[in-house]
Amino acid sequence: MKSKSRDQSLSDSRADSRELDGSYDPLTGNPSSNQKKKSIKQRFLKLLPCCLSSSAPSLRQNSMVEDGQLSALSSRPEGLDQMLQRCSFSRAELQVLYRGFKNECPSGMVDEETFKTIYSQFFPQGNSSSYAHFLFEAFDTNKHGAVSFEDFVTGLSIILRGSVTDKLNWAFNLYDLNKDGCITKEEMTDIMRSIYDMMGTCTYPCMQDDAPREHVENFFQKMDMNHDGVVTIEEFLESCLKDESIMQSMHMFDNVI
């Protein structure tokens, strides 16, 4: 009986994986007829140059994952039905995303260096390494040093299908690099420099040396309502919700997938 139970568990696990990648139709038990492959790079990485314009602190050095550790972290995604309950994507959309993720990250996890390499392909004219680091840490919510498919889908669901408040909370978390509940000028300066580094020669007019500092000052003039030198989540939400241009930017990715 134990052997049969183990075999059944393995069978169910394989079915979950095949159901996610579209190679198995849960209704008929047959291979799916729709197996178009779209790269995760096309589906996701070009979506996120910089949701707003904001903040950033120092790079952390403890998020690197050695090859052996990444293998140990390799995991099979949870079942499709469970994931449907946790995100705002349809069954078909999840299957497309999973196929792309699996194609780029066969282990089921993506480490920071791989993430940076993929992201850099969309900004060949600049250096996207610092911004990709900040973005990676926003997706790596469990601080494992690697992003799973579940991490990826959860974040992407907020960015593309979440409410305005959900999106703003996610953006605040991206900018609050040390996760202490407020954005400092130092953090914002790091973020702005990383964005300018990423855009490289594409900025117009050409970037002046003091451009990141000016953006930071403008940000704090608008957001730091009590002038204490930091921006809290409450100040951030209130300021953004009153800003028409920011509100429009919150909907720019609504129909991407």
Side-chain angles (χ1 to χ4, degrees):
M1 283 297 291
K2 284 186 178 180
S3 176
K4 184 177 290 187
S5 175
R6 192 183 308 114
D7 290 344
Q8 181 62 43
S9 176
L10 286 171
S11 176
D12 291 345
S13 182
R14 292 191 193 100
D16 283 343
S17 181
R18 284 181 291 140
E19 185 180 355
L20 263 174
D21 68 16
S23 62
Y24 173 77
D25 185 337
L27 296 178
T28 65
N30 297 323
S32 170
S33 60
N34 180 18
Q35 293 194 45
K36 290 193 244 174
K37 289 198 174 181
K38 257 201 176 174
S39 169
I40 190 175
K41 293 177 288 188
Q42 294 170 316
R43 284 290 178 183
F44 161 58
L45 291 174
K46 67 181 178 181
L47 301 181
L48 300 169
C50 28
C51 281
L52 302 169
S53 300
S54 297
S55 69
S58 315
L59 293 172
R60 282 183 243 156
Q61 302 299 321
N62 62 350
S63 61
M64 293 303 297
V65 179
E66 300 297 331
D67 290 342
Q69 290 176 299
L70 189 60
S71 297
L73 284 171
S74 177
S75 64
R76 187 182 299 278
E78 62 188 44
L80 182 56
D81 287 337
Q82 293 98 307
M83 296 196 72
L84 284 169
Q85 295 174 8
R86 292 176 48 183
C87 71
S88 301
F89 296 124
S90 68
R91 185 177 295 264
E93 288 168 338
L94 273 178
Q95 289 174 338
V96 168
L97 289 168
Y98 181 65
R99 285 198 298 272
F101 192 94
K102 191 169 150 187
N103 183 57
E104 297 292 337
C105 319
S107 70
M109 306 287 281
V110 57
D111 67 359
E112 183 172 344
E113 288 308 304
T114 302
F115 187 90
K116 287 180 177 179
T117 299
I118 297 172
Y119 202 79
S120 68
Q121 296 177 40
F122 294 96
F123 301 93
Q125 73 287 342
N127 181 355
S128 63
S129 180
S130 292
Y131 189 80
H133 166 79
F134 299 142
L135 196 57
F136 179 87
E137 293 219 324
F139 276 92
D140 181 20
T141 54
N142 294 316
K143 303 307 171 194
H144 289 153
V147 172
S148 68
F149 181 65
E150 289 86 348
D151 295 331
F152 166 72
V153 164
T154 300
L156 195 60
S157 178
I158 293 171
I159 295 164
L160 300 184
R161 303 284 171 81
S163 67
V164 168
T165 301
D166 289 339
K167 292 176 182 179
L168 290 173
N169 273 292
W170 197 92
F172 183 89
N173 181 65
L174 170 64
Y175 305 143
D176 177 18
L177 297 184
N178 66 359
K179 314 306 177 195
D180 66 350
C182 62
I183 300 170
T184 65
K185 285 191 175 182
E186 290 77 13
E187 287 175 318
M188 181 63 74
T189 299
D190 286 349
I191 287 284
M192 290 311 306
R193 283 178 177 157
S194 74
I195 291 171
Y196 275 106
D197 287 346
M198 179 173 64
M199 301 309 294
T201 57
C202 283
T203 58
Y204 180 82
C206 292
M207 181 188 70
Q208 302 298 314
D209 290 341
D210 60 352
R213 183 184 59 79
E214 289 181 3
H215 272 92
V216 171
E217 291 302 323
N218 291 336
F219 176 90
F220 271 79
Q221 285 177 16
K222 180 184 294 184
M223 304 273 182
D224 184 13
M225 297 179 176
N226 63 358
H227 307 292
D228 63 351
V230 298
V231 174
T232 64
I233 182 61
E234 293 79 15
E235 290 174 320
F236 183 77
L237 289 174
E238 185 175 344
S239 299
C240 289
L241 290 170
K242 291 177 179 176
D243 190 302
E244 186 176 342
S245 62
I246 291 177
M247 287 300 93
Q248 290 176 348
S249 75
M250 290 293 98
H251 300 287
M252 66 188 298
F253 297 136
D254 284 356
N255 299 308
V256 169
I257 293 182

